[in-house]
Amino acid sequence: MKKTSLIIATLFLVNTTFAQQEAYDALLFSQPYYFSTARSAAMGGASGALGSEMGAIAVNPAAIVTYKTNELIFTPEFYRVESTTNYYDQLNSRFKNGVNINNAGVVFAIQPRRSSTRYNIGFAYNKQNFFNANERINAPNVPSEESYIGQVAKMGNERDEQFVDDHKELGDGKYLFNQDGTLYSALLGDIGQRAMYTTTGHVGEYALSFGANISEKIYLGASFIVRDSRKSFVAELNEESVIDTDYRYSYNRMYNLSGLGFGGRVGILILPIPEFSIGLSLQVPTFYSFTKRSEGKMIFPANSVYGNDSYPYEPENEINYNLVTPLQLALSLGYVFPEVAS
């Protein structure tokens, strides 16, 4: 009975914790963060008004028309980002590091004879986002009311009367008991917590772009886009009572999300004078189709009162859903200072 009660309690909180995951993923895949080339990165990503720049094509496909020769480009990146947090007087870290390919592509400049019009075509891969991150939490003295089961006890009866009824016969049970219709945690003393969260994945954009110039002052372009989106998440939490070694358990949870998106982009680049440029682009909604696989299990170590065992509190599950990103309009302005550019 105790084992069943503990599993039910933990499942109650786990489902609440991850109920917002699909909404979070929808927001994550709706917001592009172009890393692109070194030149556009040096401009803070404001490259939509640039010409002859592979990073600009990712924002405004009309920029492809300003190429007068063929070009091949490849942009790698080496990165490391780390932050620290204080959790119950313990410093814990979260970090990203690795090697990333921001951009790779090729442009073919086509200039028909006896014509002032260029018809350029290009293919590029742009990294929109990457999710690689690791987080470690180690806190040996967490108050018992902040334990996983303690949190369940705080929120249980008000949200699910049946949950309370299922636990009435626990009486003075070891981990949860009922008093005056309210659940309490019977666990005493501090809790040692160890947690590990690992996230991997990326959003990669494959763009086939076309463009033509109306004159040497007005350029038009369009791109057909396929986005490959992948994200994996693994979480493991271990809790152990400082004074009661019978209270030990861990839970593992993982999910894999993958999907393809199809969309497009159109743009115009205007150069009223050689030094000044105006870029305007419209990104049509991207239509995503996602598949998400998830599972979780409770693990009881050998020296637990429950013995060496595992229990699937979240059986393997697969869901499919669609996502449509919003329409996005971008305006970019650029100015070249002749004395600096020369």
Side-chain angles (χ1 to χ4, degrees):
M1 179 62 185
K2 289 182 180 179
K3 177 175 179 177
T4 303
S5 301
L6 181 61
I7 292 167
I8 293 174
T10 306
L11 176 59
F12 185 86
L13 183 59
V14 169
N15 284 342
T16 303
T17 303
F18 292 99
Q20 303 299 320
Q21 188 63 52
E22 280 72 26
Y24 172 75
D25 288 335
L27 177 63
L28 195 65
F29 292 116
S30 296
Q31 300 296 319
Y33 301 94
Y34 291 103
F35 298 91
S36 204
T37 65
R39 183 185 176 194
S40 59
M43 298 180 62
S47 59
L50 284 177
S52 301
E53 159 62 22
M54 189 69 72
I57 299 174
V59 180
N60 185 351
I64 195 174
V65 195
T66 58
Y67 279 94
K68 296 183 179 180
T69 59
N70 301 337
E71 181 166 305
L72 175 67
I73 191 169
F74 175 76
T75 308
E77 178 191 42
F78 304 91
Y79 64 93
R80 179 175 178 85
V81 180
E82 183 173 1
S83 62
T84 58
T85 56
N86 190 311
Y87 181 62
Y88 288 102
D89 297 324
Q90 295 292 316
L91 290 178
N92 297 278
S93 63
R94 185 176 191 273
F95 58 90
K96 294 182 177 182
N97 57 18
V99 179
N100 189 38
I101 299 176
N102 286 345
N103 172 278
V106 60
V107 174
F108 298 99
I110 304 171
Q111 178 73 58
R113 292 183 179 182
R114 299 178 183 179
S115 174
S116 61
T117 304
R118 287 189 304 278
Y119 303 93
N120 291 5
I121 183 172
F123 178 79
Y125 171 81
N126 298 293
K127 184 63 64 66
Q128 272 201 334
N129 213 336
F130 60 92
F131 311 120
N132 295 358
N134 292 276
E135 187 171 1
R136 302 289 185 270
I137 296 175
N138 183 21
N141 297 294
V142 177
S144 60
E145 61 268 20
E146 298 300 324
S147 69
Y148 211 61
I149 300 304
Q151 292 297 308
V152 174
K154 288 181 179 180
M155 61 191 296
N157 65 310
E158 295 180 359
R159 301 189 60 174
D160 192 338
E161 294 181 1
Q162 185 62 46
F163 179 76
V164 177
D165 293 337
D166 291 342
H167 291 76
K168 283 183 178 179
E169 59 186 270
L170 280 175
D172 58 351
K174 193 174 184 64
Y175 301 113
L176 293 175
F177 64 96
N178 180 271
Q179 179 177 320
D180 299 329
T182 304
L183 287 172
Y184 295 91
S185 173
L187 186 65
L188 300 176
D190 291 343
I191 299 297
Q193 288 184 341
R194 296 183 307 279
M196 179 274 293
Y197 305 94
T198 301
T199 306
T200 59
H202 68 273
V203 179
E205 176 184 283
Y206 300 87
L208 181 62
S209 303
F210 307 87
N213 65 314
I214 296 178
S215 67
E216 290 303 324
K217 292 187 176 182
I218 300 177
Y219 306 86
L220 302 176
S223 297
F224 173 72
I225 296 169
V226 177
R227 293 195 177 99
D228 173 33
S229 304
R230 301 178 184 277
K231 185 181 178 185
S232 296
F233 176 78
V234 177
E236 179 179 342
L237 170 67
N238 297 277
E239 284 195 344
E240 179 177 1
S241 172
V242 174
I243 62 175
D244 184 357
T245 57
D246 286 343
Y247 178 78
R248 286 192 68 195
Y249 85 100
S250 66
Y251 81 80
N252 295 342
R253 187 180 191 274
M254 60 81 65
Y255 74 80
N256 292 302
L257 179 69
S258 61
L260 285 177
F262 300 90
R265 189 182 295 116
V266 294
I268 182 171
L269 186 62
I270 304 172
L271 281 70
I273 59 176
E275 296 82 12
F276 182 63
S277 57
I278 303 170
L280 183 65
S281 64
L282 177 68
Q283 180 171 296
V284 302
T286 301
F287 296 84
Y288 278 107
S289 177
F290 283 113
T291 298
K292 183 175 182 179
R293 298 178 178 87
S294 61
E295 63 177 320
K297 59 183 177 180
M298 184 82 69
I299 301 174
F300 303 96
N303 59 345
S304 165
V305 291
Y306 304 112
N308 188 11
D309 197 5
S310 63
Y311 187 88
Y313 66 79
E314 184 181 341
E316 186 173 353
N317 182 44
E318 178 178 314
I319 61 173
N320 297 281
Y321 64 96
N322 298 320
L323 166 67
V324 180
T325 65
L327 191 72
Q328 297 180 0
L329 182 67
L331 173 65
S332 304
L333 304 176
Y335 183 80
V336 177
F337 294 92
E339 63 276 10
V340 176
S342 59

